[in-house]
Amino acid sequence: MNQCMDVFLQKFGLTRYDVSKRTGISQQTLSSANKKDPGSYSVKILSALSDATGISPGEVLDQLLRIQKEEERFVVRNWDELKIAVDAMKERFLVEGEFTEVMKDVKSGQLSDTARLGTELGTGGGVGIIEALYYFMHRQLSGGNKEEEKLKDRLTSLYHIILLDEHTVELKLKSLSY
């Protein structure tokens, strides 16, 4: 599931919350639609996206279908976008630019895949707890913004962090690997 709506809105610097505020359509309705194939979006959803972005409903649908076809991913460049991605439990998303340093820091608190496999076998699946404790101790020593640190904790428990290159990181839900 690509969650095309979020990718589409990101191109306009908008969120589903922004669309809800501008159009009066509920966030719950937008969230529900975001989980579906954009080809099945109702006229109400397409009209709301059109009103929020200033392009025609037909162009909205065309762009949504293009995003789906090309499997474009949500891109995170700051804490607000990261919160959106994690709260929505996006299956996969990218982190680009300077914000990749934050992901590298989080990754340094995660076990490697080989170490994880060995520990999973040895602990009967309890490695997530060990990893979370390690990251919690690392965080306590470094200090930091509490909200950002909680978000990092969620990343550690929910996502594999894959370094694609120096300026791009992919995050993939761990549950997809099982």
Side-chain angles (χ1 to χ4, degrees), residues 114-140:
T114 305
R116 170 177 278 284
L117 180 59
T119 309
E120 285 281 358
L121 292 171
T123 63
V127 72
I129 295 168
I130 294 167
E131 192 171 55
L133 285 172
Y134 172 81
Y135 190 73
F136 177 76
M137 294 300 293
H138 175 73
R139 183 184 77 193
Q140 292 299 330

Side-chain angles (χ1 to χ4, degrees), residues 34-49:
N34 191 43
K35 296 173 185 170
K36 297 178 182 174
D37 183 305
S40 69
Y41 284 8
S42 68
V43 171
K44 178 181 176 181
I45 296 292
L46 293 172
S47 293
L49 294 173

